[in-house]
Amino acid sequence: MSYGVTASTLRDMTHIPPPAVELRILDAELYQLDARRTQLLHRRAWLLTVLQPGPPAPVMPPPPAPLRPETTAPGVQNVLLVLGGILLTLAAIAFTLVSWGSMGITGRALVLAAVTLATLGAPVALLRRGLRSTAESLAGLGLALTALDAYALHEVAFPAADGVTFAAAAATVLTALWTAYGLGLPALPGGKTPSPTLLLPLPAALAIAQLPLLLWAIAAGGGPHTITAALLLTAALDMVLALRVSPKAVRLVATVGAFTMGAWGVLAAGQLSLEATGPGAAARAAALFALAAAGAFGASWLASDVRLRTGTAAAGGLFVVVAVGGMLRATLPADWTVPGYLTCGIALLALVRGRRLPEHVRHGLGWASAAVQASAVLWALPVTTVTLFGPVAWLTRVWSGTPADARDAVTTDAFWPAHTAATPLILAAVAAALISTLRTTEWRPRALTAALTLTWATALTIPTTLHLPYSVGLLIQGLTIIALLALTHRTATLLALATSLSLTAVSLATEPATLAVLASLTAVFAPATWRGRLAPASAAASLAYATALACATGAALDWQPEHIALLVLAVPVAAALLAARISDPSTTLAVEITGAVAAVTAISLSALELPMFALVLALCGVIAAGTAVRPDRRSVGYLAAALFVLAMWVRLSVWNVGSPEAYTLPVTVPALLVGALRRRRDPNVSSWTAYGPGLAATLVPSLLTAWSDAHWTRPLLLGTAALAVTLLGARHRLQAPLALGGGTLVLDALHELAPYLAQVVGALPRWAPPALAGILLLALGATYEQRIRDARRVREVLGRMN
């Protein structure tokens, strides 16, 4: 800073802003604070008024919301115009049909011409004024009037003309007029820009254009083939328009017409092909399908969307198959109809493998071939179903007699579909096509699985479709099972199991067949027990068929069910030995479960004969005990003990033993031994857990029996045993033996001393029991008081110590 600056200058420079300005700012701020304070005070006073009790202040209802219109102005306009056009059309129809006859021919012509021309000309002026919606309504009325003009012209000028011919001519003329009208209006100028295009005339012209070819074909006396050709040609033209024209409404009408007329024509051609009785009629129907195929392939070429191109190409491929297959059907027997169509469908694959056709066409032909093959498989499905499930009926006709052939064996309670002699050939052909066609990495596994299933169905249906002998059918099914198991595939194993069930059911017709089949299935599934992830199912199947073989063998030897049970027990024995040698946990579990089911079967067979029932239970206990030897199956030991106890109980009941100790001691002794071993391994185990169940199993039933026993032997022995248990519990300081033994001893003593106690109570005077009760209560009270006094003394001593 310069040293020449004066003090007055410094004094002025310290105030920013100057003092006068700052004073005005402060006054303004103070004024605003006062105003804000006044506002807050008023608000505080109002809040206090609201919080004070008194009548509630009236709440003013909110102002009503303004009404919202439910429709737009253009919507109202369109509704009014449409309704007006409809009413005018109805009026014109009524005038034409009702009031027409009251005028001469000149007047009629003048009225019709004037009204029609005025109505068709009005949209021109309306378009120039920009009234497009009104122009659309009047244009629709004008088009309807042209149709009425055609009707009036027929009624007046050509009353004798053929109705179909006149309708064909009228439809043709109306199509041309409406098309010209729709195309001519946009060229009319409307101010600086051309007039907007009307939407209605061209779609209406296309809609009426669906009729001329059909009506001309009918008028010319054409038969079903000619009419069908007219339908297909109309559909082809519609398809071209749908794919080439730009107006959206026209494309929509053309698309609907193409699909409608095309579907009608294809259905008619299919009916003609099915009804063809000779090569000539079949060739004419094939020509119709060729026309449909040409239209479909043309649409595939014209379309721009990939999915539409592929779909139309697939439709064209199907039309070609139906055309050629229909010609084959007319020359081949009825049994070879489906193979003929299938051959044509598979032949399409030759075009798919080639590279000359566009990719979308090849994809479409591939889908067409797949559809034909799937249809053929569905045709063969009933034969496969009857062959697989038909033998179930033999479950109610076991060993009733040898069937005439393989088909008779599966149609005991089922019907055989007609014209299915070529079913195996159909299934085999589709399987071969799948293997040879689908070679990509993604689809190859699925194709192989499907081909495997179809090959299995082929082998399954050969005996039934060819009426092979019954024994040959059994042999073919058995070889099929062996081949499927050799593949070591999950699907193959499932098919093998299904085939084995069907084979078992169909073998029930004769005794030798049943025994041979069950023995073969047991031997066939046994080796698969050691192979990978399919081992559990194979092992279970082998043991299950072994169980069935044991039952069938016993029935063939005329054994009683209880004796058959001993034969069935061989299966649980084999399962227990096999489970100990298998390392796979899943297979081991499957083997053990199947063995358990076989053991339950043996027990149920012997249940009606108690001595044999006891023996079977004991043998099952031995098997369970052998299983419990394994370290991972220790818990099965409880099951073994339960089976042994049940076997002993059954045997005792056979011997008419009524003493409960005979039933309970065999439970108590092993239970006490197990409890002792458990406490030796884990000293923390409670005596109630180790010895309680075993002791209660004998002491409780014996005590209940002793109370109803009039002799002295049982109470004496029970008291002695209870005394021994009590002393042992006291010696080893165990709660369970001490409590259970002491309680049993006391109750047993009460039972023995009850008569004497009753005599003593009877000899005492009436005042003695109350007196004894009073003495007891006094003694208890004195004891209670003494304890309270001792506690008070201890508290006083502790207080003096503090």
Side-chain angles (χ1 to χ4, degrees), residues 342 346 373 377 380 422-435 451 453-459 461-462:
L342 179 62
I346 295 177
Q373 295 179 53
V377 172
T423 297
L425 179 61
I426 293 172
L427 297 171
V430 176
L434 283 173
I435 295 175
T453 306
L454 292 172
T455 305
W456 162 77
T458 302
T461 55
I462 285 177

Side-chain angles (χ1 to χ4, degrees), residues 175 205-214 231 234-235 238 253-254 257-258 261:
T175 301
L206 186 56
I208 199 68
Q210 308 301 312
L211 300 178
L213 285 178
L214 176 62
L231 292 172
T234 304
D238 288 335
V253 174
M261 305 300 282

Side-chain angles (χ1 to χ4, degrees), residues 614-651:
L615 177 60
V616 171
L617 288 173
L619 293 176
C620 291
V622 172
I623 298 172
T627 303
V629 174
R630 294 161 48 195
D632 57 338
R633 292 293 186 269
R634 296 298 188 192
S635 58
V636 183
Y638 296 104
L639 176 62
L643 290 172
F644 283 133
V645 170
L646 289 175
M648 182 174 295
W649 286 356
V650 173
R651 175 53 62 183

Side-chain angles (χ1 to χ4, degrees), residues 271-638:
Q271 184 177 1
L272 293 174
S273 179
L274 292 176
E275 293 176 353
T277 57
R284 290 193 295 272
L288 294 175
F289 275 110
L291 178 61
F297 286 125
S300 178
W301 177 64
L302 294 174
S304 57
D305 184 71
V306 176
R307 291 179 295 180
L308 181 59
R309 299 176 74 177
T310 303
T312 51
L318 288 176
F319 296 155
V320 171
V321 170
V322 176
V324 181
M327 297 178 64
L328 295 176
R329 186 198 64 80
T331 57
L332 294 175
D335 289 339
W336 294 93
T337 299
V338 177
Y341 285 105
L342 179 62
T343 303
C344 299
I346 295 177
L348 290 178
L349 297 177
L351 300 176
V352 175
R353 298 190 187 97
R355 298 296 178 181
R356 296 182 179 180
L357 297 176
E359 184 179 1
H360 67 274
V361 175
R362 290 189 287 110
H363 286 171
L365 294 178
W367 284 110
S369 177
V372 174
Q373 295 179 53
S375 301
V377 172
L378 290 177
W379 174 270
L381 186 60
V383 174
T384 307
T385 303
V386 172
T387 303
L388 187 62
F389 296 102
V392 176
W394 288 105
L395 293 175
T396 59
R397 300 179 176 86
V398 178
W399 298 350
S400 59
T402 305
D405 53 33
R407 181 179 295 185
D408 184 62
V410 301
T411 55
T412 305
D413 287 341
F415 71 93
W416 188 259
H419 306 304
T420 55
T423 297
L425 179 61
I426 293 172
L427 297 171
V430 176
L434 283 173
I435 295 175
S436 61
T437 303
L438 298 177
R439 298 179 180 179
T440 60
T441 305
E442 180 182 1
W443 290 94
R444 188 66 176 174
R446 303 176 185 177
L448 292 177
T449 301
L452 174 63
T453 306
L454 292 172
T455 305
W456 162 77
T458 302
L460 191 68
T461 55
I462 285 177
T464 53
T465 54
L466 300 181
H467 291 277
L468 295 182
Y470 172 68
S471 58
V472 175
L474 296 178
L475 179 61
I476 291 177
Q477 287 191 352
L479 294 176
T480 303
I481 295 172
I482 295 174
L484 290 171
L485 292 177
L487 296 177
T488 65
H489 189 269
R490 178 179 298 178
T491 303
T493 303
L494 294 177
L495 294 176
L497 291 173
T499 308
S500 65
L501 293 174
S502 178
L503 178 60
T504 302
V506 79
S507 69
L508 296 176
T510 62
E511 178 183 321
T514 303
L515 296 176
V517 166
L518 292 176
S520 301
L521 292 177
T522 302
V524 165
F525 280 100
T529 305
W530 308 96
R531 291 189 301 181
R533 59 183 181 180
L534 305 179
S538 301
S542 179
L543 293 175
Y545 287 123
T547 304
L549 176 62
C551 296
T553 302
L557 296 175
D558 292 330
W559 286 5
Q560 296 297 320
E562 58 271 15
H563 299 130
I564 297 176
L566 296 176
L567 189 60
V568 173
L569 282 179
V571 177
V573 173
L577 297 176
L578 185 62
R581 298 175 60 87
I582 298 176
S583 58
D584 181 41
S586 300
T587 307
T588 302
L589 183 61
V591 169
E592 290 175 344
I593 291 176
T594 310
V597 172
V600 172
T601 303
I603 292 173
S604 61
L605 289 173
S606 63
L608 298 179
E609 187 69 22
L610 291 183
M612 190 62 68
F613 185 43
L615 177 60
V616 171
L617 288 173
L619 293 176
C620 291
V622 172
I623 298 172
T627 303
V629 174
R630 294 161 48 195
D632 57 338
R633 292 293 186 269
R634 296 298 188 192
S635 58
V636 183
Y638 296 104

Side-chain angles (χ1 to χ4, degrees), residues 69-82:
E70 297 182 355
T71 184
T72 60
V76 175
Q77 165 194 306
N78 293 332
V79 170
L80 294 177
L81 292 176
V82 170

